Amino acid sequence: MNYWQEHIKIGNLSFPRFIGGPLDGITDSPFRQLVREFSPNELLFTEMRHVACVANDKGGIKALQFKQLERPLNFQVAANRLDFIEKACEKILAAGVDIVDLNVGCPAPNVVGSGSGSALMADLPRLKEILTLFRKVLPIPFTVKIRAGFKQQNAVDVAKLIQDCGADALSIHPRLQTQKFEGRPDYALAAQVKQAVSIPVIISGGVINFKTAKIVYDQTGVDGFLIGRGIWGKPWKLAEMERHMNNEQFVIDNKQMFYWAARHLDAMIEFYGPKGLFAFRKHLPFYLKGLTDASALRQKLVVSNSLEDVRQTFVQLMEQHGS
Ligand SMILES: Cc1cc2nc3c(=O)[nH]c(=O)nc-3n(C[C@H](O)[C@H](O)[C@H](O)COP(=O)(O)O)c2cc1C
């Protein structure tokens, strides 16, 4: 077996190296169900939820209402203080997940403003307390997602702390908080992190296909690849990468693309009720990207407030693009 065919080991678990990353508002339960149809064994992340929101849940939080077929699942949380962590972990464990991930990389102003996400990279004593508590209360693997740093790079020090506190793996999106999603990810820094720790290191940032995974591997030597924006509008992305890894063809033609977009819409209606139609619209440009008439098609699909009309349009599009 070569590097690509070997699995990444996280605690006592192992997975293919291509992992479905967390995208808030995108990689929700309906989307993950679709990914599963292509990729039965790959690890998928949930969207991030604050531990307070999980701990105080009275049954209304959608993030805990996933299906078991979405597993193996890494449930991602944010935290800025200790008091909600134990209760949140109890609820997450009761919902049935495989791993819990702490987000120490989120750059959003409302998240860092409360001291969670990437703000924790600038407060190592607090981060240590939080990591220690997670490790204490979690009987399953625990991972952490970091950035290059908050305002200044300190990912190597943070990675060592994460390892010392007993985490089973870490992922790094090597940009500073101040860079948000702009600029080239600092793969040299990711390579330093990989060298500095013995737990598995997963790269996040700029990996959109097998070709880029290979380039990033050569520069970093990492153990796994978190696919973020590359999976948006392409629930088959992880399967495509696995096929290309084995030198096999993988083609989704336009008819199939419309089929999966329509299936995505149906899954969102089932999960969110009628408002799923409006929530689905953000996915459309990502499915239609690359089509010559993408903008006209998007217009057609977003003007209608009738689920039946939109479904009918998808049926027509599949007929028009039939082979
Ligand atoms: C719309 C959007 C939502 C995101 N939500 C999360 C999130 O909930 N948790 C997280 O750790 N990262 C989140 N990220 C960051 C991605 O997981 C990833 O680290 C980043 O986009 C870089 O990887 P990429 O180039 O593969 O997209 C989000 C990114 C985007 C664009």
Side-chain angles (χ1 to χ4, degrees):
M1 271 221 276
N2 65 25
Y3 164 85
W4 296 103
Q5 282 148 351
E6 281 168 15
H7 282 191
I8 176 173
K9 293 188 182 55
I10 302 181
N12 55 349
L13 307 173
S14 76
F15 310 99
R17 295 192 189 273
F18 306 129
I19 298 170
L23 294 177
D24 191 28
I26 311 302
T27 57
D28 53 6
S29 172
F31 185 73
R32 295 191 302 261
Q33 289 172 43
L34 249 57
V35 174
R36 272 291 165 252
E37 299 210 23
F38 293 94
S39 303
N41 305 316
E42 282 69 5
L43 179 63
L44 304 182
F45 274 62
T46 68
E47 310 152 89
M48 178 187 85
R49 289 296 174 267
H50 195 280
V51 282
C53 155
V54 177
N56 295 329
D57 174 47
K58 303 270 183 290
I61 138 172
K62 283 284 187 194
L64 284 172
Q65 296 168 18
F66 51 84
K67 295 189 176 171
Q68 288 297 300
L69 66 84
E70 294 164 41
R71 293 175 68 179
L73 199 55
N74 191 344
F75 194 102
Q76 190 185 64
V77 291
N80 54 341
R81 42 198 272 212
L82 299 178
D83 35 1
F84 298 107
I85 293 176
E86 196 162 355
K87 183 86 196 144
C89 286
E90 265 172 39
K91 291 201 175 177
I92 293 165
L93 292 170
V97 302
D98 301 277
I99 305 180
V100 173
D101 184 76
L102 175 67
N103 185 334
V104 181
C106 182
N110 58 331
V111 174
V112 297
S114 71
S116 44
S118 55
L120 283 173
M121 291 190 77
D123 187 351
L124 299 195
R126 171 63 61 96
L127 177 60
K128 185 176 179 182
E129 280 181 347
I130 290 176
L131 293 170
T132 306
L133 182 55
F134 270 106
R135 186 62 293 174
K136 186 168 154 235
V137 301
L138 281 174
I140 61 172
F142 168 50
T143 61
V144 184
K145 183 166 181 274
I146 65 173
R147 279 194 167 239
F150 187 55
K151 307 285 179 211
Q152 287 172 351
Q153 282 193 0
N154 65 344
V156 171
D157 290 341
V158 172
K160 286 181 184 159
L161 175 65
I162 288 168
Q163 172 167 274
D164 290 347
C165 291
D168 295 286
L170 68 90
S171 49
I172 174 163
H173 173 202
R175 291 183 173 106
L176 293 169
Q177 182 273 342
T178 44
Q179 291 178 283
K180 307 279 192 300
F181 301 96
E182 305 295 320
R184 190 175 178 276
D186 188 342
Y187 296 126
L189 178 67
Q192 285 174 36
V193 166
K194 169 64 190 160
Q195 286 296 318
V197 294
S198 56
I199 54 173
V201 174
I202 300 161
I203 189 77
S204 171
V207 179
I208 53 167
N209 52 31
F210 181 54
K211 194 173 157 204
T212 46
K214 276 201 298 190
I215 294 170
V216 171
Y217 172 67
D218 287 344
Q219 293 180 31
T220 60
V222 290
D223 305 279
F225 305 84
L226 211 56
I227 315 305
R229 286 163 290 181
I231 205 171
W232 196 348
K234 295 184 177 62
W236 52 82
K237 179 52 77 177
L238 302 177
E240 176 196 285
M241 291 178 72
E242 301 259 329
R243 294 281 189 82
H244 288 168
M245 168 187 110
N246 290 322
N247 282 319
E248 290 166 14
Q249 288 255 331
F250 186 91
V251 179
I252 293 280
D253 63 22
N254 289 342
K255 182 180 178 185
Q256 288 167 310
M257 179 274 288
F258 288 124
Y259 168 80
W260 286 105
R263 285 280 309 277
H264 193 167
L265 170 62
D266 285 344
M268 290 189 74
I269 299 292
E270 189 194 325
F271 192 72
Y272 295 110
K275 66 177 192 228
L277 176 61
F278 308 103
F280 172 73
R281 288 177 179 166
K282 63 180 165 248
H283 296 287
L284 267 173
F286 292 83
Y287 280 107
L288 304 177
K289 209 168 162 179
L291 295 181
T292 42
D293 49 352
S295 140
L297 274 179
R298 188 158 52 85
Q299 263 319 104
K300 189 169 176 186
L301 285 158
V302 299
V303 286
S304 176
N305 291 334
S306 150
L307 176 60
E308 276 325 303
D309 285 354
V310 176
R311 278 185 175 141
Q312 196 48 41
T313 305
F314 274 124
V315 170
Q316 286 164 5
L317 285 166
M318 279 186 266
E319 280 166 5
Q320 283 163 21
H321 289 82
S323 42

